[in-house]
Amino acid sequence: MDMSSPEQLIGQLDLDEQETAEWIAALHSVLESSGPDRARFLLSQLSNAAREAGLQWRDARITPYINTIRPQDEAPYPGGSDAVATEETIAGILRWNALAMVVRANRAYGELGGHIASYASAADLFEVGFNHFFRARTAEFGGDLVYFQPHSAPGIYARAFLEGRLSADSLSHYRQEISAKTNGVQGLSSYPHPWLMPDFWQFPTGSMGIGPISSIYQARFMRYLEHRGLLAPQPRKVWGVFGDGEMDEPESLAALSLASREKLDNLVFVINCNLQRLDGPVRGNGHIVDELETLFGGAGWNVIKLLWGSDWDPLFARDANGELVDALNRTVDGQLQTFAANDGPFNREHFFGQSPGLKAIGATLTDEEIDRLKRGGHDLRKIYAAYHAAVNHNGAPTVILAQTKKGFGMGTAGQGKMTTHQQKKLEQQDLVEFRDRFKLPLTDAQVENLEFYKPADDSPEMRHLHARRNELGGFMPRRVDQRLPIAVPPLESHAQFALEADGKEMSTTMALVRMMGNLLKDATLGKHVVPIVADEARTFGMANLFKTVGIYSSQGQLYQPEDIGSILYYREAKDGQILEEGITEAGAISSWTAAATSYAVHGLPMLPFYIYYSMFGFQRIGDLIWAAADQRARGFLIGATSGRTTLGGEGLQHQDGSSHLVAASIPNCISYDPAYAYELAVIVDDGMQRMLQKNEDVFYYVTVTNENEAQPSIPKDAREGILHGMHCVSPAKKPEVRLLGAGPLLKEAMAAADLLEGIFSVKTEVWSVTSFSELARDGIECERNRRLQQSDDEAWVTQKLKGSKAPVIAVSDYVRAVPESIRAYVPAHFVTLGTDGFGRSDTRASLRDFFEVDAKWIAYTALAEVYAGKKTADEMREIAAKLELDLDKPISTSV
Ligand SMILES: Cc1ncc(C[n+]2csc(CCOP(=O)(O)OP(=O)(O)O)c2C)c(N)n1
């Protein structure tokens, strides 16, 4: 039983007030005489004693609904009142320009959308960061990293406008990126998108939950680079400014314990608690701040509640018997929102009118003063004090729970309104009120025209703004891509075994791990390689790397591993190279993204290989991969145990038949499904050259399998075809049928060719398709060039297959839609086979029969084409019988 819930604390009657006073006095006296450490020690001793006495007492996870930092402990504002006043003026201007940007865009084109209310609530939180804390990257300092709340983007653009980085023309092209380009202007993307604004945004945060988890793994990856001696240790911080609603996303909370376990005091979360999401308060009957305090506090974070502005301090000072604090404890979010949406008289009546004591406190204020009582997240001094405490906290990450008003300053039109999130049109009267509220020097006509406002260069505001950013190293956000090539070792140095396999048996997974092991040993490249797993290293045969390069652990190894005697023992080390993330694909991909973007974020190119069950990639964490693509990630995603029929017994949830379909939809994802170790070697080599040497913003998705098979050596001149997506592995003169086999099913296509030639004397040619998606992309582009430019471009598929009219049968271990993607470029009759439907637990042989993709089914399908119009139905049935195929079996997609 938790005896310390707030209700109990608040509601409990004090049976002996004198005794209580004595205990409290004792605490104060210890504090005064021996300081806070001693006081904390005594409290934990008391807590232990209580537990030993069987009290089952736990410290409250929820503290009262007031600021964590006492006024007397607040760090003073640098620059004092002048700075506060100037920065408040700047914040007002930014609010206006952000609002004007959104309202203008929507006046012109009602469909563009955008948000005003979110930034209105977050502006002060950002401004204190921009003016005092967010340090830019310079020649000497790596810079702080800031994850911006996505729908506050208009405010960040508004600031860049004042800074002279974005023009008024750009602001006029908010959410009009395509027409902006036509007009020769930098358009502004809706949310932070490095793909669209590569010199500006560093981190994509538009999809809720991605920012929080990414920022945690980013902070951890910075430590990894430092511990491995690749990055000089510097007091850099990762800041994440997020909405309270965004904290509902599982990804937002998924890595909280990692952050505290790793003692990431380089990480600060600022949660903009405006108590509203999109639809409304969502959980209006409670306190989101308390919920988050429990979650973050329980996970070991330093929690700072920043709820009330300085103008509340005298009210609390007058609250001798705790009535005001009690009332705040009791006032739930839905009600706080109603108070935000209403004026002074309403708040006097409904909040301060609750009891005579509160009434007396309220009586010290005018209605106007009550109306203007600030929440903590709108008070620059309080925000500064909280940030100051956060950046000086050691040993744990900090979260600041900043209470704000959604649509702050939008008056009766928007502040605290249920509908404020989507409001993007304001009446003239509302705009004038907004101008007056923030004392903007705009005429009614300028307001009507939604003119952007920029103070004169020599105004105190502009001078202050520039001085602050100069002091902090320059403008932010800013993405820097220095193009730092890294020498890629010659293919033979790490993949000779694959190029000249000469029939040796191995799986493509084994080949990949062996190649990676060799790359790790390379004098130049080795240290840049980052092997990442989500607790499956043994599944993929990577256990030998535990010993050779070690598993990263910020604490080193504090125990003697059970297998210490083995040469491959489980070795954790502070400079370990493998990121072993445990069972969290979301975490592992976040680490991968941090590594894959290190070239831009830290000016330090890394080469991550994240190796995982292919089914738990694009299907499970596809949105995180999409965001990595937006962030111009460079690295390898290795989908292991891939293919619907190749991962035998694992069944429906594990067998992947679709990842290549999704991978193909990501423009900068180059995906391959190689069959042979030598193909894999060529692909990895090409990837390294493009990503590391040529600095192309692409990443590679490569599927590998655990099926052992005899690996041939690389045929002469195969490289070009492998990279284009198909090359001939078994040519035939005047073939009657051509088989295209991909990945693990190339083997079935080769066996089908043997059946066709051996039993039916049908001349068969076999091609290995390494990438249907690359072939399709090439086809789309060539086709378009022919249409638009009247060029004679010909798709690779067409070039390779046009020499014959023989039918073409394609088979892969993926859904038919994958090979179907090249249909338009196949200059012959084309049939596709694939693994549509749910997987099953069974042997590979049974699965391939079930999905009709084994050698016999491929052979039968080929014969059906070759004999079309020549054999009767009965004769085809005889052929099927000869091949032991059941033509009446249900389709694999049926139940
Ligand atoms: C994954 C995902 N789901 C839904 C949305 C749509 N969405 C955009 S903002 C928003 C509400 C955000 O609320 P909150 O985080 O509290 O921010 P506020 O605007 O209140 O500051 C939603 C649901 C999204 N961007 N991403």
Side-chain angles (χ1 to χ4, degrees), residues 499-686:
L499 301 177
E500 282 177 23
D502 207 16
K504 269 196 273 336
E505 286 233 337
M506 74 185 106
S507 67
T508 44
T509 307
M510 282 163 68
L512 186 274
V513 172
R514 192 162 161 195
M515 269 177 238
M516 203 170 60
N518 291 341
L519 290 172
L520 281 161
K521 288 184 210 140
D522 184 79
T524 311
L525 178 66
K527 60 178 185 289
H528 298 270
V529 175
V530 185
I532 303 172
V533 285
D535 196 26
E536 292 283 358
R538 290 185 199 279
T539 313
F540 309 132
M542 291 168 63
N544 62 326
L545 297 183
F546 290 166
K547 170 71 195 316
T548 51
V549 294
I551 299 164
Y552 170 69
S553 160
S554 56
Q555 292 173 289
Q557 192 157 36
L558 307 178
Y559 60 95
Q560 189 183 53
E562 170 277 321
D563 56 354
I564 186 79
S566 134
I567 47 162
L568 299 179
Y569 80 92
Y570 194 85
R571 187 170 76 87
E572 296 193 56
K574 196 162 176 176
D575 61 353
Q577 201 157 348
I578 302 171
L579 285 172
E580 159 65 272
E581 300 297 8
I583 311 168
T584 164
E585 282 77 13
I589 193 74
S590 301
S591 272
W592 181 84
T593 305
T597 56
S598 168
Y599 73 94
V601 174
H602 306 294
L604 174 65
M606 300 299 286
L607 184 67
F609 287 84
Y610 170 32
I611 304 163
Y612 56 92
Y613 267 92
S614 75
M615 188 60 155
F616 304 138
F618 286 89
Q619 169 152 310
R620 181 164 186 130
I621 45 156
D623 206 21
L624 282 154
I625 301 177
W626 183 251
D630 183 355
Q631 209 177 328
R632 299 170 174 262
R634 300 175 189 167
F636 287 98
L637 291 177
I638 306 292
T641 53
S642 69
R644 183 97 77 205
T645 67
T646 303
L647 180 61
E650 291 288 298
L652 183 152
Q653 185 79 64
H654 285 63
Q655 292 164 342
D656 168 31
S658 54
S659 64
H660 275 289
L661 208 51
V662 188
S665 68
I666 303 179
N668 51 343
C669 175
I670 314 293
S671 40
Y672 287 99
D673 182 22
Y676 294 136
Y678 72 76
E679 294 176 340
L680 179 70
V682 167
I683 292 161
V684 170
D685 176 62
D686 178 61

Side-chain angles (χ1 to χ4, degrees), residues 155-430:
I156 312 303
Y157 295 140
R159 181 164 240 279
F161 169 62
L162 285 204
E163 291 168 343
R165 295 201 290 154
L166 291 175
S167 66
D169 254 358
S170 278
L171 263 55
S172 306
H173 283 86
Y174 167 65
R175 290 193 173 215
Q176 297 152 70
E177 299 167 85
I178 299 167
S179 45
K181 202 157 199 179
T182 322
N183 299 339
V185 176
Q186 161 75 67
L188 304 181
S189 58
S190 49
Y191 302 111
H193 291 302
W195 189 263
L196 303 169
M197 295 177 68
D199 302 327
F200 196 86
W201 295 117
Q202 279 185 300
F203 307 112
T205 51
S207 177
M208 312 260 101
I210 284 179
I213 191 168
S214 305
S215 59
I216 293 175
Y217 279 89
Q218 180 67 256
R220 199 291 212 90
F221 189 69
M222 274 162 68
R223 286 275 161 82
Y224 166 90
L225 291 176
E226 289 175 6
H227 287 158
R228 288 194 49 219
L230 296 172
L231 213 58
Q234 287 184 332
R236 296 169 70 193
K237 297 281 178 194
V238 177
W239 292 81
V241 185
F242 307 115
D244 49 359
E246 182 166 7
M247 289 298 120
D248 285 349
E249 291 286 0
E251 290 87 351
S252 300
L253 304 174
L256 295 191
S257 58
L258 170 109
S260 52
R261 190 169 69 233
E262 293 290 311
K263 301 187 172 48
L264 297 180
D265 50 17
N266 58 347
L267 177 67
V268 181
F269 270 17
V270 180
I271 312 291
N272 174 15
C273 297
N274 57 30
L275 318 181
Q276 289 181 245
R277 278 90 152 156
L278 195 154
D279 288 339
V282 179
R283 291 192 288 283
N285 294 322
H287 275 158
I288 184 67
V289 168
D290 289 346
E291 234 184 81
L292 295 177
E293 180 179 29
T294 313
L295 279 165
F296 279 87
W301 286 51
N302 173 40
V303 181
I304 298 177
K305 285 162 110 166
L306 164 60
L307 306 185
W308 308 109
S310 310
D311 41 12
W312 285 80
D313 289 340
L315 310 188
F316 288 121
R318 267 183 225 116
D319 184 30
N321 57 4
E323 260 179 85
L324 177 58
V325 177
D326 269 3
L328 294 173
N329 285 337
R330 275 187 276 104
T331 310
V332 293
D333 287 355
Q335 192 61 41
L336 282 165
Q337 183 190 331
T338 302
F339 288 139
N342 283 283
D343 59 6
F346 181 94
N347 278 270
R348 181 187 300 286
E349 184 184 344
H350 296 278
F351 180 75
F352 290 106
Q354 295 183 69
S355 70
L358 280 177
K359 230 180 222 154
I361 292 175
T364 61
L365 303 167
T366 64
D367 282 353
E368 173 73 9
E369 283 168 338
I370 291 181
D371 192 37
R372 289 290 160 93
L373 276 175
K374 274 189 180 162
R375 293 195 176 167
H378 295 306
D379 184 318
L380 302 187
R381 291 177 196 278
K382 296 278 182 196
I383 300 170
Y384 181 85
Y387 288 10
H388 186 272
V391 297
N392 289 297
H393 187 82
N394 292 323
T398 293
V399 62
I400 294 167
L401 303 172
Q403 185 172 239
T404 59
K405 291 181 181 173
K406 191 147 179 172
F408 182 66
M410 287 168 73
T412 48
Q415 181 172 291
K417 295 279 178 210
M418 285 294 176
T419 51
T420 195
H421 186 86
Q422 281 155 322
Q423 186 162 3
K424 34 206 149 277
K425 290 186 180 151
L426 289 169
E427 299 302 325
Q428 173 70 359
Q429 185 50 34
D430 302 326

Side-chain angles (χ1 to χ4, degrees), residues 107 187 445 618 641 735 737 777 805:
R107 252 190 208 170
F618 286 89
T641 53
V737 68
R777 282 178 182 169
K805 279 282 152 213

Side-chain angles (χ1 to χ4, degrees), residues 491-492 495-504 506 515 676-683 685 710-723 727-729 770:
L491 184 51
E492 298 71 30
Q496 192 61 27
F497 74 94
L499 301 177
E500 282 177 23
D502 207 16
K504 269 196 273 336
M506 74 185 106
M515 269 177 238
Y676 294 136
Y678 72 76
E679 294 176 340
L680 179 70
V682 167
I683 292 161
D685 176 62
Q711 296 286 347
S713 298
I714 187 166
K716 213 165 145 282
D717 302 328
R719 183 179 175 104
E720 196 187 3
I722 293 171
L723 297 178
H727 66 117
C728 189
V729 287
T770 49

